[in-house]
């Protein structure tokens, strides 16, 4: 059994001066003095490094020469007061084992590498301070999700990754097949999907929402949290082909209930990170987003803004010189419009509600005016759209009419319609892009830098 002390426990005061400690980790930097050698060690438990001091008389030259950036080592020694300014304690080494040596081609030799360079080696970049901090925060956001919904009476359900429906109706799906693509079985001009694995077309899911709704209509409040896939050809800093979505669905909720839950959750997550990740937040503030503390303060100290889509269009059109394109009523809001509303006009997260019927999927509740739906988007500084949600349409005639208008295959959605025939109820839900929330709460500017192995248009890293 391997015993080790984490660097976090040592620097955090769990191991005290004069204690013997055994640490494993990867060398960030190493240097040699006249009588001692130094190694700055990190084991991933914290963004901080631990300095290890080696008395050159006590260690053979070949071992000390193996103290190279990137090498994995095991050190046993005494915790002593540090003579440096960066930390209060360090390790005076008594024993050294080179667990994983490196050669001269190890690519992470510099203290700072560009994020673009690090994207070329996703298998190594989590060893850097930046990506280590990103994925520690990512972990704690995941924990915050489960803690929040568990304590608020939700049940976690696992919705399928393979589906026959395109929830959003945009056609941006990855199709799955076991048919030989170089010799597809075709009869009378059509592919014989009866010979495929599922005997019909199948896709990777773009959303777990439709499959979560039946559970909300039986268990009250549920959430699903898992990967989703979209074949969107957009190659921007906020688009990915594979990402994670948080999707709660709640029976007996209307749009206003939905807005309150979204705001409560986002604020809970920010508070949770401030408690669990203060060092990592300080790191991001120092190197990436100096206004990050203000972002947290504004988020936690203020109610989120709320405007209708119509009001949003009016605000944007009042400053036309600010934008490349100026939308009219019925047009989509571009990212530049969303960020202007959140970052400049409101200076905080803002809900935009009541979008035109023509812009939104068939399952959203049609308002009394017949022109808008009870939809909501949460726009956040730095990322634009963070959450999309709505009250769901529970009136069968209206739902069927909307589905037909959008050209959906009614047989594919038969079970979804049956939910409205047999014991329906008002209900609502939302989808939150996990990586966009991670960007928002770290100040990172590109989704490629918050996904372990990003898949984006034209690229698999």
């Amino acid at each position: 059994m391997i015993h080790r002390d984490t660097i976090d426990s040592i620097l955090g005061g769990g191991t005290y001066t004069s204690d013997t400690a055994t640490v494993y980790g990867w060398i960030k930097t190493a240097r040699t003095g006249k009588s001692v050698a130094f190694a700055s060690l990190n084991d991933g438990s914290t963004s901080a490094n631990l300095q290890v001091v080696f008395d050159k008389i006590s260690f053979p030259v070949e071992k000390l020469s193996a103290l190279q950036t990137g090498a994995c080592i095991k050190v046993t020694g005494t915790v002593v007061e540090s003579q440096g300014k960066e930390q209060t304690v360090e390790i005076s080494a008594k024993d050294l084992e080179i667990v994983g040596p490196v050669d001269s081609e190890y690519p992470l030799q510099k203290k700072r590498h560009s994020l673009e360079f690090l994207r070329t080696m996703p298998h190594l970049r989590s060893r850097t301070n930046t990506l280590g901090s990103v994925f520690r925060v990512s972990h704690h956001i995941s924990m915050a999700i489960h803690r929040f919904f568990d304590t608020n009476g939700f049940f976690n359900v696992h919705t399928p990754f393979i589906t026959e429906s395109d929830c959003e109706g945009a056609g941006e799906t990855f199709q799955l097949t076991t048919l030989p693509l170089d010799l597809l079985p075709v009869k009378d001009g059509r592919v014989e999907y009866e010979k495929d694995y599922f005997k019909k077309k199948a896709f990777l899911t773009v959303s777990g929402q439709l499959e979560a709704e039946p559970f909300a209509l039986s268990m009250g409040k549920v959430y699903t949290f898992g990967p989703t896939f979209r074949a969107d050809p957009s190659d921007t800093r906020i688009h990915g082909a594979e990402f994670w979505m948080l999707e709660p669905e709640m029976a007996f909720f209307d749009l206003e209930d939905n807005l309150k839950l979204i705001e409560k959750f986002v604020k809970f997550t920010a508070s949770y990170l401030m408690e669990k990740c203060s060092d990592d937040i300080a790191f991001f503030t120092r190197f990436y987003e100096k206004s990050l503390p203000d972002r947290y303060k504004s988020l936690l100290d203020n109610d989120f803004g709320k405007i209708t889509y119509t009001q949003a269009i009016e605000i944007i059109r009042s400053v036309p010189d600010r934008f490349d394109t100026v939308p009219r009523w019925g047009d989509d809001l571009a990212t530049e419009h969303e960020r202007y509303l959140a970052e400049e006009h409101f200076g905080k997260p803002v809900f935009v509600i009541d979008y035109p019927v023509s812009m939104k999927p068939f399952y959203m509740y049609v308002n009394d005016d017949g022109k808008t739906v009870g939809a909501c988007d949460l726009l956040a500084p730095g990322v634009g759209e963070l959450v999309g949600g709505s009250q769901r349409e529970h009136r069968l005639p209206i739902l069927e009419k909307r589905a037909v208008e959008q050209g959906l295959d009614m047989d594919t959605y038969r079970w979804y319609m049956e939910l409205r025939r047999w014991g329906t109820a008002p209900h609502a839900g939302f989808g939150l892009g996990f990586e966009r929330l991670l960007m928002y709460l770290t100040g990172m500017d590109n989704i490629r830098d918050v996904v372990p192995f990003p898949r984006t248009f034209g690229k698999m890293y």
Side-chain angles (χ1 to χ4, degrees):
M1 182 174 179
I2 295 176
H3 166 76
R4 75 181 183 103
D5 299 286
T6 66
I7 291 176
D8 182 47
S9 69
I10 293 172
L11 296 181
T15 303
Y16 300 95
T17 304
S18 300
D19 285 349
T20 297
T22 298
V23 294
Y24 288 78
W26 293 269
I27 296 175
K28 307 290 282 191
T29 59
R31 57 189 176 88
T32 300
K34 183 177 294 186
S35 58
V36 294
F38 301 91
S40 181
L41 203 62
N42 190 279
D43 65 358
S45 64
T46 175
S47 59
N49 301 323
L50 175 66
Q51 180 166 276
V52 182
V53 183
F54 302 88
D55 186 334
K56 294 175 75 172
I57 297 177
S58 303
F59 294 92
V61 173
E62 59 271 18
K63 271 198 173 182
L64 293 182
S65 64
L67 296 176
Q68 301 292 327
T69 297
C72 180
I73 64 174
K74 172 188 176 183
V75 175
T76 299
T78 305
V79 180
V80 298
E81 280 191 52
S82 177
Q83 302 302 308
K85 298 178 180 179
E86 296 296 319
Q87 56 193 30
T88 58
V89 295
E90 60 191 23
I91 296 287
S92 176
K94 304 301 180 188
D95 185 66
L96 168 65
E97 177 184 341
I98 308 298
V99 178
V102 296
D103 58 34
S104 60
E105 295 183 1
Y106 181 70
L108 301 180
Q109 297 289 347
K110 297 180 182 178
K111 286 188 176 182
R112 293 288 302 274
H113 292 278
S114 72
L115 294 173
E116 291 80 4
F117 172 76
L118 294 176
R119 289 173 204 154
T120 67
M121 50 189 66
H123 58 301
L124 293 176
R125 64 179 185 161
S126 59
R127 295 190 190 182
T128 65
N129 293 336
T130 296
L131 276 298
S133 288
V134 164
F135 295 122
R136 273 188 296 273
V137 174
S138 174
H139 160 79
H140 285 293
I141 293 178
S142 296
M143 295 301 101
I145 286 171
H146 293 297
R147 180 169 294 187
F148 175 85
F149 287 101
D150 182 55
T151 56
N152 281 277
F154 282 73
F155 299 100
N156 180 226
V157 296
H158 296 168
T159 52
F161 298 163
I162 301 174
T163 181
E164 59 178 313
S165 64
D166 174 7
C167 176
E168 298 298 317
E172 297 167 344
T173 53
F174 288 101
Q175 187 171 347
L176 292 176
T177 183
T178 56
L179 296 175
L181 296 181
D182 55 347
L183 193 63
L184 285 172
V186 177
K187 184 177 181 180
D188 298 329
R190 60 174 291 274
V191 176
E192 296 182 277
Y193 285 107
E194 299 83 4
K195 296 181 179 180
D196 207 349
Y197 185 89
F198 293 107
K199 302 188 184 304
K200 60 177 64 177
K201 284 186 178 182
F203 309 93
L204 289 175
T205 185
V206 299
S207 169
Q209 174 207 319
L210 299 188
E211 290 84 2
E213 283 189 49
F215 290 91
L217 294 172
S218 59
M219 301 174 72
K221 296 190 294 186
V222 301
Y223 72 103
T224 182
F225 177 46
T228 54
F229 311 86
R230 297 195 184 178
D232 186 343
S234 299
D235 188 22
T236 74
R237 65 180 190 86
I238 60 173
H239 285 92
E242 178 183 4
F243 53 94
W244 280 57
M245 288 279 285
L246 165 67
E247 297 181 286
E249 292 291 325
M250 299 76 64
F252 319 114
F253 265 52
D254 61 17
L255 183 63
E256 286 302 314
D257 296 321
N258 211 15
L259 301 183
K260 290 177 182 177
L261 180 69
I262 294 168
E263 181 167 347
K264 183 179 179 182
F265 166 72
V266 174
K267 288 187 172 184
F268 173 87
T269 305
S271 295
Y272 189 89
L273 292 187
M274 290 181 71
E275 176 187 347
K276 298 287 186 178
C277 304
S278 58
D279 288 347
D280 292 308
I281 292 172
F283 172 83
F284 291 121
T285 301
R286 180 180 177 186
F287 292 105
Y288 291 97
E289 181 54 71
K290 299 197 182 306
S291 64
L292 196 58
D294 294 333
R295 179 177 296 181
Y296 276 79
K297 180 174 174 56
S298 175
L299 188 160
L300 293 170
D301 292 351
N302 299 289
D303 293 335
F304 290 1
K306 184 176 75 170
I307 54 173
T308 66
Y309 166 86
T310 300
Q311 291 170 324
I313 293 294
E314 291 171 353
I315 292 169
I316 293 166
R317 290 185 64 81
S318 70
V319 284
D321 294 341
R322 299 296 305 272
F323 309 108
D324 294 332
T325 60
V326 181
R328 295 182 180 277
W329 200 93
D331 294 339
D332 281 328
L333 298 182
T335 300
E336 63 172 342
H337 307 138
E338 295 171 341
R339 291 190 62 176
Y340 171 79
L341 291 170
E343 294 171 18
E344 298 187 48
H345 189 83
F346 285 92
K348 62 181 180 180
V350 55
F351 288 110
V352 180
I353 66 170
D354 297 342
Y355 282 80
V357 169
S358 60
M359 290 176 58
K360 293 297 184 179
F362 76 104
Y363 54 74
M364 294 189 174
Y365 184 90
V366 178
N367 292 327
D368 292 342
D369 61 13
K371 298 179 180 180
T372 62
V373 291
C376 63
D377 285 350
L378 177 62
L379 311 181
V383 297
E385 182 186 342
L386 181 62
V387 178
S390 72
Q391 183 172 339
R392 310 312 190 191
E393 183 57 78
H394 66 282
R395 299 163 295 183
L396 181 59
I398 297 176
L399 184 68
E400 289 180 331
K401 180 175 181 291
R402 294 266 288 135
V404 170
E405 289 173 349
Q406 295 192 6
L408 300 183
D409 179 3
M410 296 301 285
D411 186 59
T412 297
Y413 293 90
R414 173 187 53 79
W415 64 270
Y416 190 73
M417 302 300 170
E418 288 178 351
L419 289 172
R420 275 66 177 173
R421 290 176 57 199
W422 300 326
T424 190
H427 58 292
F430 66 86
L432 178 147
F434 178 81
E435 287 80 7
R436 290 193 184 184
L437 180 61
L438 184 52
M439 291 170 64
Y440 176 50
L441 294 174
T442 59
M444 299 300 289
D445 191 55
N446 197 305
I447 196 170
R448 295 165 179 82
D449 302 319
V450 296
V451 178
F453 290 86
R455 278 80 172 98
T456 57
F457 182 59
K459 296 178 182 178
M460 281 186 62
Y461 290 88

